[in-house]
Amino acid sequence: MDDAEALRGLVASALAEDVGSGDLTADAIVPPDLRGRARITQKAPGAVFGFEAAREVMRQCGVERFDPVAVEGEWREQVPATIASAAGTAAALLAAERTALNFLGHLSGVATLTAHYAAAVAGTPARILDTRKTTPGLRALEKRAVAAGGGTNHRMGLHDAILIKENHIALAGGLEAALERTRAGGVAVEVECRDLDEVGRAIAAGAGRILLDNMDPAAIREAVGLRGEADAPQFEASGGITLENVRAVAEAGVELISVGALTHSAPALDLSMLIEPDGASVAG
């Protein structure tokens, strides 16, 4: 399944749960031939993302025109501001409104939170990564929103990289045994370490990337120091990362910082969509 087909299916499912067999309110109130135009407004500072999903919602609802005017991923401080307009029958616009805003608000929230984290580590070598802690069915879109906000995508799923975690280590009979079993695969390998002893063992075993799990900045600095003057392994910090401590984590020397909150806890960006009969002005 290609990305376009996946998006069509995702949007169809979202509309099925919202519109279902029809919009009872619009059917009762709005003449079927009444035309309308709409304006989507950003009401809080942030970075917008999700126009592709919103456009597909509009298309499936029969909206004739959808015109974004904002640049995705670009921070907008001066609000309220128009980010898109649309036109078609009023009934089609009403059917599309909530689902389009749900996609746009959520994905813009992910991009906005990512932009805050990226700004917090600006000037350090560290990059902000996402995780697999995504909304089921929305991973591809959420990861694209992270990238738009200035973050870097971690693995898409279990299928495209090896990350050895504590359960794998326990099942393999130890850290070294787990690493040894991955050597023939030709795939990037990362190992999660919970303390300095595990870090030292992972370095000795030749790990290419080490994930430092729930370590404070002092422990992270000590862990990074164990590689000495070598370029490898790379270090990634994860667990307990907040906007308040991410700068200190970055300054401790890691190259990567993964933040599950980017996708599982990002508040939706405040957006609204106002519709008026065609020919009337649409209030900002």
Side-chain angles (χ1 to χ4, degrees):
M1 182 186 300
D2 63 23
D3 290 345
E5 183 180 356
L7 181 60
R8 286 194 295 270
L10 176 64
V11 168
S13 178
L15 287 171
E17 71 182 5
D18 190 44
V19 181
S21 60
D23 181 348
L24 295 180
T25 310
D27 289 347
I29 296 172
V30 179
D33 59 348
L34 178 65
R35 298 187 59 77
R37 57 179 181 169
R39 179 175 296 167
I40 298 178
T41 300
Q42 178 178 340
K43 300 167 69 177
V48 171
F49 185 81
F51 286 139
E52 183 182 8
R55 184 186 303 280
E56 180 61 20
V57 172
M58 298 286 180
R59 188 192 69 79
Q60 290 193 25
C61 288
V63 174
E64 297 162 15
R65 199 190 78 234
F66 177 66
D67 299 314
V69 296
V71 177
E72 288 189 314
E74 185 175 283
W75 187 270
R76 186 185 296 261
E77 187 68 28
Q78 299 300 317
V79 293
T82 298
I83 62 169
S85 62
T89 66
L93 291 166
L94 286 166
E97 175 187 6
R98 177 40 49 201
T99 302
L101 288 178
N102 284 349
F103 278 116
L104 274 172
H106 172 61
L107 295 172
S108 297
V110 171
T112 295
L113 184 58
T114 303
H116 282 302
Y117 273 91
V121 302
T124 76
R127 291 179 289 149
I128 300 297
L129 302 183
D130 52 25
T131 72
R132 287 167 51 234
K133 296 176 181 177
T134 55
T135 308
L138 294 184
R139 180 170 295 174
L141 286 172
E142 288 178 343
K143 282 181 170 285
R144 287 175 56 197
V146 166
T152 299
N153 294 147
H154 210 306
R155 58 179 178 164
M156 181 61 70
L158 298 176
H159 52 84
D160 61 352
I162 294 175
L163 173 50
I164 302 169
K165 306 189 80 170
E166 58 182 335
N167 286 330
H168 302 110
I169 291 170
L171 293 168
L175 185 152
E176 291 83 0
L179 270 168
E180 183 61 32
R181 294 179 189 179
T182 67
R183 295 197 190 283
V187 178
V189 178
E190 181 173 10
V191 60
E192 177 184 85
C193 296
R194 295 164 293 180
D195 55 42
L196 294 176
D197 175 67
E198 289 186 345
V199 172
R201 289 162 56 198
I203 292 173
R209 181 186 290 183
I210 294 175
L211 187 154
L212 305 175
D213 183 41
N214 281 297
M215 293 189 187
D216 63 28
I220 290 171
R221 192 177 299 277
E222 192 170 352
V224 171
L226 292 178
R227 72 179 167 195
E229 299 300 315
D231 293 330
Q234 279 193 318
F235 281 94
E236 173 185 342
S238 182
I241 308 295
T242 67
L243 279 170
E244 288 69 34
N245 68 17
V246 69
R247 181 79 187 188
V249 170
E251 291 175 342
V254 294
E255 291 85 6
L256 306 163
I257 304 173
S258 53
V259 184
L262 300 182
T263 49
H264 71 59
S265 296
L269 188 64
D270 190 8
L271 306 172
S272 67
M273 177 170 155
L274 294 179
I275 306 168
E276 295 222 0
D278 202 9
S281 61
V282 181

